Amino acid sequence: MKWYQLTPEKLEETLQVKSNVGLGEKQVAKRRQQYGENVLAAKKKIPKWILFLKQFQDFMVLVLLAATLLAGLLGEYIDAIAIMVIVLINGVIGYFQEQKAENSLEKLKELSAPVANVRRDGQWVKIPSKEIVVGDVVRFTSGDRIPADVRVIRTASLETEESALTGESLPVAKHAKEIRMDGLEAQDQVNMAFMGTLVTRGSGEGIVVGTGMKTVMGQIATLLDNTKKTITPLEMKLAELGKILIVVALFLTILVVGAGIFQGHPMYEMFLAGVSLAVAAIPEGLPAIVTVALSLGVQRMIKKKAIVRKLSAVETLGCASVICSDKTGTMTENQMTVKEVYINEKTLYVTGDGYQTQGDFLYNQKKIEDSHSNLKSMLLYGMLCNHASVSTKKGKNVVDGDPTDGALLVAAYKFGFHENDKQEFRIVKEIPFDSNRKRMSIVVEDKNGMRLLITKGAPDILLPKTSYIQTEDGKTVLTKEQNKKTEQAVVSMAEKALRTIAIGFRVLSPSESLDTALLEEDLTLIGLYGLMDPPRKEVKAAVRECKEAGIKTVMITGDHANTAKAIANHLEILPESGKVLEGKELTQMSDAELVDTIEDTYVFARVTPEHKLRIVNAFQEKGHIVAMTGDGVNDAPAMKASDIGIAMGISGTDVTKEASSLVLMDDNFATIKSAIQEGRNIYENIRKFIRYLLASNVGEILVMLFAMLLGLPLPLVPVQILWVNLVTDGLPAMALGVDQAEGDVMKRGPRNPREGIFSRGLGYKIISRGILIGVVTLIAFIIAYQNDPNNLVYAQTIAFTTLVVAQLIHVFDCRSEKSIFSRNLFENRYLILAVLSSMLLLLVVIYFPPLQPIFHTVSLSVVDWCLIVGLGALPTVLFGFTKK
């Protein structure tokens, strides 16, 4: 039912209710049975214990649990405990993340009004909002939340703040007349008031036409509940990596064990060695290192004004190819500002953005002095015909009241006026703003008893009531030519996306009637204000950097198309061939048509929550990784469906924050760019330590395999394999996780989300370095064993030490996609400390007598160390000059 098209009389007839009586008890009971309670319903929640167990069904986690069992059977209890702790930490983190996502609907419910003023059987009564039914007559006033979807039937200067629901940046004036147009979206249904929105001015009455899930808020709740969570690229890649590793590890381990038994080694000995290799081949520290790398990235993001609520989101940002950004507050200041003033047939430019009270009025780049009487009068009138106030909070100016009134007040302060200047005038009469009148008037009296009518409003409403104009020569009759110039000034401002407010006045005689119908006639026009919410200064550069990084920026807003287009042009978001689509055009499009046009569209205006969800889905259909920003309830479903939901920390609702992965503490688009840079670096660091860990593991397996195939004794004992796996691999790999970004990280295009973890030559680097590490370790073992065939422990110590040294030198090669010499070797101090720590631990197990029998080691000479360092450096030196 299109309730906005019905007259109040037809509405009463349709819903069988009289607005001056309301519903009776029997009607209420019947309708409650028919429609249910006025609450937002939700799907049945998954029990917490099932949600917790679900965290352990991942393939990699199951492999780690199997490794834990094997390590326990081998008596390696420290190893087993370490793996279990890692698995539990990951499980707990995943559990809390999913539980937070479940809370978003609960936060949505909190926006509902707790009580409502309802007319029942002719009496006004206060009842809990959940007891409201369709047909109830409700009353609301400034500060109230609308309890359900209501068709407004009576208003008194009624305005509601709907930004959380529709994305409309300014309060919406409401009226009671029917609207005959078809296909209107919620933000254009100005005779409707919606559940959860806030009354900011005036009062009204209405008849409830939708309750619970049948409201606009309910539709958003349904979208939020039914929107599926997307799997992040990192989660997909780690799951893929786990499967590859387990297959390869098992195959190579079986090969080693089989070859050893065939060569005559005892079965028990080979079984222990095989299990040790299996544990070593699966990098059980990988989830922990990924978590640490992401967590440290989170700490860096906090310093850059972003709070990460979901660890994997940081990495996902790194492959974002589209940012769908809200306009108001994210790309703009969310501070309505006077940018131009048209007065004396000239356009003055006003400096100083936002609510800062420092600024100048310029004409031809020259400052207008305080002696400019007409400008002084205009700004004074704008300050008097005004209900806003400016206060300072946390060192910043904040406007309390209507944003437009706030802008006029700040403009007056820029010219030198102060709040106490208003005290020189007494308000005699006020005719408040009304959506039908589109103007506000005030009668003031100064200390000399002179009365003045001041009127401000839309130029198309005010100009027909104007007979005179104030010029540099004084008050003159408004000519057709002057009227035309004024209209041209209005058009010129509108083309720049400026909202125009005209201001006029009339001097009243002491005995003149204050009858409203007669007051607002024969006005003298003094000038026009041109206002806008100015773009943030840093956003243009951030958009440009995103473009260089191959990321498309898309503006999605509830504001009008002209305003959105002007801001998009200023910020260089909209190319010459780029399209601007409005919500009504989107409604007429099929999903397939939207997918076809989505790549060429850069601005979406007057959109609904359903539109936003369709836009995100269309970009994803095209293979994009989508980051979606938002601050209102209307953004939550699209944010949940996107790959990375980004909420506004200052202006964002709790619902939006709960549905998001990232919260911007400064509501600034430029912070998103920093997050993308951080995300790209984190993914590259994850690739670095995967390269290091797997090359090391390949080397460990191959040295055993080659030895078995050559009929040699075991070059490494199980405890040495496990020690290398836990100590030598762990610390340097973690240090790689916090490596600095390479200089060109924001000059590359976005990573393809389908790109395999081993792409860009990573697989080749792992295998080639791994083979060489295995070969040099085996050569060291053979040399030592041939020199002293009766001292196997000495040969095993040489092999063990060569393997560790080769890995610790190789870690520096992993820092760059190019070569080891393309970066400063000492830049990452954490890596230097990690390598020194691993070397120190190696020296302890070699030279500390109590540990020698446990680790099957003996002390080594200087000659031995020359052999070890020479062979250990070979894998890195041989490949150090190549990119492959």
Side-chain angles (χ1 to χ4, degrees):
M1 177 68 74
K2 295 173 181 175
W3 300 106
Y4 63 88
Q5 293 184 334
L6 301 184
T7 62
E9 295 75 26
K10 185 67 176 174
L11 181 71
E12 290 183 13
E13 182 187 324
T14 305
L15 294 175
Q16 298 176 347
V17 64
K18 292 288 182 184
S19 61
N20 59 344
V21 178
L23 296 176
E25 282 188 27
K26 288 184 179 178
Q27 284 177 296
V28 170
K30 186 178 178 183
R31 293 185 188 200
R32 185 168 294 124
Q33 193 172 7
Q34 182 181 353
Y35 298 106
E37 286 192 328
N38 180 34
V39 294
L40 299 178
K43 288 191 293 188
K44 192 176 179 183
K45 278 191 173 184
I46 302 169
K48 290 183 178 181
W49 64 274
I50 291 179
L51 200 63
F52 183 68
L53 289 179
K54 278 179 70 179
Q55 309 307 316
F56 302 97
Q57 64 184 17
D58 180 74
F59 184 74
M60 188 75 168
V61 172
L62 294 174
V63 170
L64 290 175
L65 290 173
T68 307
L69 180 65
L70 290 172
L73 291 172
L74 281 169
E76 301 295 333
Y77 300 116
I78 294 174
D79 204 4
I81 291 167
I83 300 169
M84 277 303 296
V85 168
I86 289 162
V87 170
L88 280 171
I89 288 171
N90 285 325
V92 169
I93 289 170
Y95 168 74
F96 280 112
Q97 283 171 357
E98 285 202 39
Q99 199 177 37
K100 279 180 181 176
E102 294 286 317
N103 290 341
S104 56
L105 197 61
E106 296 302 316
K107 292 291 182 183
L108 194 62
K109 290 179 183 178
E110 289 174 15
L111 281 180
S112 304
V115 292
N117 209 356
V118 181
R119 182 174 258 159
R120 296 267 175 92
D121 289 322
Q123 300 293 319
W124 287 107
V125 292
K126 283 197 173 182
I127 63 169
S129 287
K130 67 178 184 179
E131 294 180 10
I132 283 177
V133 296
V134 172
D136 261 327
V137 180
V138 294
R139 184 166 66 184
F140 30 82
T141 188
S142 182
D144 290 345
R145 282 207 180 273
I146 305 295
D149 280 7
V150 174
R151 167 66 168 87
V152 178
I153 58 170
R154 274 184 284 277
T155 67
S157 305
L158 178 65
E159 289 186 11
T160 61
E161 203 276 306
E162 299 180 349
S163 61
L165 203 65
T166 65
E168 181 74 64
S169 58
L170 294 169
V172 181
K174 299 293 181 180
H175 64 71
K177 290 181 180 178
E178 72 276 13
I179 304 171
R180 295 295 184 187
M181 293 172 68
D182 270 327
L184 289 186
E185 303 298 351
Q187 54 262 59
D188 296 314
Q189 296 174 20
V190 291
N191 58 5
M192 295 283 295
F194 302 105
M195 178 193 245
T197 59
L198 187 69
V199 179
T200 56
R201 177 186 280 182
S203 60
E205 291 179 23
I207 298 176
V208 173
V209 296
T211 58
M213 300 303 281
K214 297 295 183 184
T215 60
V216 173
M217 184 80 79
Q219 291 168 18
I220 294 172
T222 302
L223 289 172
L224 201 55
D225 221 16
N226 294 336
T227 302
K228 292 180 180 177
K229 173 184 168 287
T230 54
I231 299 171
T232 69
L234 182 61
E235 288 168 335
M236 288 190 287
K237 294 296 167 277
L238 289 179
E240 175 190 299
L241 177 62
K243 289 172 186 175
I244 293 169
L245 290 180
I246 190 66
V247 171
V248 172
L250 287 175
F251 172 75
L252 290 174
T253 303
I254 291 167
L255 199 62
V256 169
V257 173
I261 293 170
F262 181 76
Q263 293 289 352
H265 290 280
M267 188 177 289
Y268 174 73
E269 185 181 280
M270 289 313 302
F271 174 75
L272 284 180
V275 170
S276 300
L277 275 178
V279 172
I282 301 163
E284 64 275 2
L286 185 59
I289 296 168
V290 170
T291 303
V292 168
L294 292 172
S295 298
L296 291 170
V298 166
Q299 295 303 313
R300 289 194 293 272
M301 285 310 305
I302 288 171
K303 292 176 184 174
K304 295 177 182 177
K305 304 287 187 184
I307 297 171
V308 178
R309 298 183 64 255
K310 188 176 174 189
L311 286 179
S312 55
V314 182
E315 180 277 330
T316 311
L317 265 172
C319 56
S321 52
V322 171
I323 303 173
C324 294
S325 177
D326 187 31
K327 174 184 72 67
T328 307
T330 310
M331 294 184 161
T332 63
E333 298 278 2
N334 198 19
Q335 295 181 349
M336 191 60 74
T337 310
V338 174
K339 300 298 291 180
E340 291 184 9
V341 171
Y342 178 75
I343 191 168
N344 298 335
E345 300 182 3
K346 296 173 184 174
T347 299
L348 311 182
Y349 296 92
V350 187
T351 65
D353 286 337
Y355 296 149
Q356 62 186 48
T357 53
Q358 291 78 39
D360 295 315
F361 292 76
L362 306 177
Y363 179 67
N364 287 339
Q365 302 299 316
K366 291 181 181 179
K367 182 180 175 181
I368 304 295
E369 299 299 331
D370 294 357
S371 58
H372 198 292
S373 60
N374 282 349
L375 177 59
K376 190 173 184 179
S377 298
M378 178 180 172
L379 295 171
L380 175 63
Y381 298 162
M383 184 172 77
L384 292 172
C385 191
N386 200 307
H387 283 302
S389 62
V390 177
S391 58
T392 304
K393 293 178 183 175
K394 296 181 180 177
K396 290 186 178 180
N397 286 346
V398 178
V399 165
D400 299 311
D402 184 80
T404 302
D405 279 357
L408 303 193
L409 192 61
V410 169
Y413 288 171
K414 286 178 181 177
F415 199 71
F417 283 105
H418 302 282
E419 181 65 26
N420 54 13
D421 290 324
K422 294 173 78 172
Q423 309 305 318
E424 296 183 17
F425 296 85
R426 181 176 69 88
I427 297 172
V428 178
K429 181 182 176 72
E430 180 182 333
I431 309 169
F433 178 87
D434 184 272
S435 57
N436 294 322
R437 290 164 22 84
K438 291 188 179 177
R439 62 189 183 276
M440 172 188 176
S441 292
I442 192 168
V443 177
V444 294
E445 186 178 274
D446 67 11
K447 290 178 179 178
N448 300 318
M450 190 189 85
R451 289 187 173 184
L452 187 72
L453 167 77
I454 303 166
T455 303
K456 72 170 192 229
D460 58 321
I461 299 295
L462 216 63
L463 285 176
K465 296 183 175 294
T466 302
S467 303
Y468 306 93
I469 187 168
Q470 188 78 13
T471 68
E472 288 178 329
D473 299 323
K475 175 183 168 183
T476 62
V477 174
L478 182 66
T479 64
K480 285 185 179 179
E481 186 183 348
Q482 287 170 324
N483 195 63
K484 189 176 180 182
K485 282 184 178 179
T486 305
E487 288 174 347
Q488 286 172 345
V490 171
V491 171
S492 173
M493 286 180 177
E495 286 173 351
K496 300 172 195 169
L498 296 177
R499 185 170 178 238
T500 49
I501 300 287
I503 192 155
F505 69 97
R506 187 159 70 86
V507 179
L508 305 178
S509 64
S511 59
E512 190 167 342
S513 168
L514 297 182
D515 183 5
T516 302
L518 302 173
L519 271 175
E520 298 172 330
E521 298 295 338
D522 287 333
L523 298 173
T524 300
L525 178 72
I526 192 165
L528 302 172
Y529 289 100
L531 308 93
M532 78 180 302
D533 180 8
R536 289 177 180 266
K537 293 182 180 67
E538 61 273 27
V539 170
K540 185 186 280 191
V543 168
R544 196 179 297 125
E545 281 190 60
C546 286
K547 197 180 290 183
E548 286 175 4
I551 302 162
K552 177 180 179 178
T553 303
V554 177
M555 182 189 288
I556 302 180
T557 179
D559 268 352
H560 292 278
N562 287 344
T563 306
K565 187 176 179 180
I567 298 290
N569 279 325
H570 179 83
L571 295 175
E572 299 178 3
I573 290 171
L574 186 64
E576 285 185 21
S577 58
K579 292 181 183 177
V580 178
L581 276 183
E582 288 196 73
K584 57 188 177 185
E585 297 173 274
L586 272 171
T587 302
Q588 293 164 3
M589 281 184 177
S590 67
D591 287 343
E593 287 172 328
L594 179 57
V595 170
D596 286 341
T597 194
I598 199 82
E599 295 283 20
D600 301 320
T601 309
Y602 290 79
V603 177
F604 295 90
R606 307 299 282 169
V607 291
T608 66
E610 290 87 350
H611 290 150
K612 292 182 181 187
L613 192 56
R614 287 183 64 201
I615 292 164
V616 168
N617 290 336
F619 274 120
Q620 288 174 330
E621 189 72 24
K622 279 285 190 179
H624 288 287
I625 295 294
V626 183
M628 172 78 194
T629 76
D631 56 3
V633 176
N634 61 321
D635 299 314
M639 283 172 58
K640 187 178 175 185
S642 68
D643 300 278
I644 316 106
I646 304 170
M648 302 299 112
I650 299 171
S651 61
T653 61
D654 286 343
V655 183
T656 320
K657 290 172 189 174
E658 290 292 344
S660 71
S661 311
L662 193 76
V663 178
L664 304 184
M665 292 157 66
D666 56 358
D667 289 12
N668 194 340
F669 180 86
T671 307
I672 303 171
K673 187 269 301 178
S674 300
I676 288 172
Q677 186 171 351
E678 192 63 53
R680 288 188 174 191
N681 186 41
I682 283 173
Y683 184 76
E684 292 307 312
N685 286 350
I686 288 170
R687 276 172 54 91
K688 288 173 191 176
F689 60 64
I690 285 174
R691 171 181 167 183
Y692 172 68
L693 283 176
L694 297 191
S696 300
N697 292 353
V698 166
E700 291 162 27
I701 290 174
L702 291 182
V703 71
M704 298 289 281
L705 178 61
F706 294 154
M708 295 304 97
L709 293 176
L710 293 171
L712 295 168
L714 285 177
L716 299 168
V717 295
V719 71
Q720 290 172 342
I721 295 171
L722 292 171
W723 190 93
V724 170
N725 189 46
L726 277 175
V727 181
T728 310
D729 290 357
L731 290 173
M734 207 164 282
L736 282 176
V738 295
D739 202 14
Q740 292 86 347
E742 292 194 63
D744 61 347
V745 72
M746 285 299 280
K747 304 291 182 186
R748 312 170 194 162
R751 189 179 82 253
N752 188 328
R754 296 182 182 87
E755 176 187 285
I757 202 89
F758 298 114
S759 64
R760 290 185 272 147
L762 187 66
Y764 170 77
K765 286 173 182 172
I766 288 168
I767 293 168
S768 60
R769 273 59 161 186
I771 290 172
L772 215 49
I773 288 169
V775 167
V776 296
T777 303
L778 187 64
I779 290 170
F781 174 74
I782 291 170
I783 292 171
Y785 187 60
Q786 286 180 344
N787 285 344
D788 193 353
N790 297 320
N791 194 350
L792 180 58
V793 174
Y794 165 70
Q796 287 172 333
T797 305
I798 290 284
F800 169 57
T801 310
T802 305
L803 178 66
V804 171
V805 169
Q807 289 182 8
L808 293 180
I809 295 173
H810 169 246
V811 74
F812 291 98
D813 189 28
C814 297
R815 291 189 63 230
S816 175
E817 292 273 327
K818 299 165 188 170
S819 78
I820 189 172
F821 304 109
S822 65
R823 301 195 70 181
N824 181 350
L825 291 176
F826 303 100
E827 187 180 19
N828 186 342
R829 64 177 184 273
Y830 298 108
L831 185 60
I832 300 296
L833 288 171
V835 169
L836 290 174
S837 300
S838 294
M839 276 303 297
L840 182 64
L841 290 168
L842 174 65
L843 295 173
V844 168
V845 298
I846 292 172
Y847 292 103
F848 188 50
L851 292 178
Q852 287 179 334
I854 297 172
F855 286 93
H856 300 266
T857 57
V858 294
S859 297
L860 300 175
S861 67
V862 174
V863 175
D864 295 329
W865 276 104
C866 291
L867 173 70
I868 289 163
V869 172
L871 287 171
L874 270 180
T876 300
V877 171
L878 288 176
F879 287 103
F881 298 96
T882 68
K883 290 186 181 181
K884 293 186 178 180

